[in-house]
Amino acid sequence: MAAPITSIKRTERTEIELQQEKLADLQKLIAEQEESLRKIMEITGELHSIGALDALQAMLQAKEKIASIAVDQVSREPVTNMLNNLLAAAGTLTAISPATVQQLSHSVQQGLNEAEKGVEEGQKTGVLQLMKSINDPDVNRALTFGMNFLKGMGKGLNDPME
């Protein structure tokens, strides 16, 4: 019968052995990714030759100054006004149903096409023709829409802002 195992000896690798193992792993990885590494080296070479790496390095060294300038520019009144207007416009668009926006967009496109045709043909409108066009169902529909829009807008202008 064999003698029982009473102790386990761990073999700890030396620092040199760990480094050699890491180097072997790295060599294997480089061999597997040879083509990718070549392309990366070509790209960085091109970036260096045109001075982009120097510019990037200078930007990284001046990151606090650049961040300060960016914050100053964003906090200017015209920029904050633009951001507030974008948020207000987005709020307005979210309040309108997508079907309405789509129909209105389509109608505007058709109206612009008709207007371009009229300009190309050199059409002119007289007072009598203007009066007759009110009876045209398409013109009447657009006029009624516009008048109702103006009425609602006028009501909105009279209401105090919330």
Side-chain angles (χ1 to χ4, degrees):
M1 235 200 258
I5 298 175
T6 57
S7 66
I8 299 175
K9 289 186 179 181
R10 285 192 175 184
T11 56
E12 295 205 19
R13 294 180 277 171
T14 65
E15 187 67 30
I16 294 174
E17 289 173 332
L18 288 173
Q19 285 180 356
Q20 287 177 342
E21 186 178 315
K22 287 180 183 179
L23 280 173
D25 289 344
L26 188 57
Q27 281 179 328
K28 181 181 175 190
L29 186 61
I30 288 172
E32 290 172 357
Q33 298 295 325
E34 178 185 3
E35 186 63 29
S36 298
L37 290 172
R38 283 188 196 281
K39 287 181 181 180
I40 288 171
M41 298 302 272
E42 287 176 16
I43 291 169
T44 54
E46 285 293 320
L47 290 172
H48 178 68
S49 68
I50 63 172
L53 291 179
D54 294 331
L56 184 60
Q57 185 177 21
M59 286 174 59
L60 289 173
Q61 289 172 349
K63 63 184 172 267
E64 288 86 17
K65 289 180 184 177
I66 292 172
S68 172
I69 291 169
V71 168
D72 288 344
Q73 290 299 312
V74 169
S75 62
R76 288 182 18 236
E77 186 176 350
V79 176
T80 57
N81 286 345
M82 179 190 69
L83 292 173
N84 288 334
N85 289 339
L86 283 172
L87 289 173
T92 301
L93 283 175
T94 58
I96 302 171
S97 80
T100 302
V101 172
Q102 190 174 19
Q103 184 178 9
L104 192 57
S105 174
H106 178 72
S107 299
V108 168
Q109 289 172 358
Q110 277 189 299
L112 288 173
N113 289 339
E114 289 291 323
E116 286 176 2
K117 281 185 206 172
V119 169
E120 288 173 3
E121 294 172 3
Q123 293 178 355
K124 295 190 181 205
T125 305
V127 176
L128 186 59
Q129 191 177 8
L130 185 62
M131 298 303 279
K132 285 182 179 179
S133 68
I134 292 175
N135 291 329
D136 183 329
D138 294 330
V139 173
N140 191 284
R141 189 177 309 109
L143 281 173
T144 303
F145 179 86
M147 288 184 345
N148 287 326
F149 171 78
L150 291 172
K151 184 175 182 176
M153 186 174 170
K155 285 180 183 178
L157 289 171
N158 197 31
D159 293 341
M161 292 283 296
E162 295 176 16

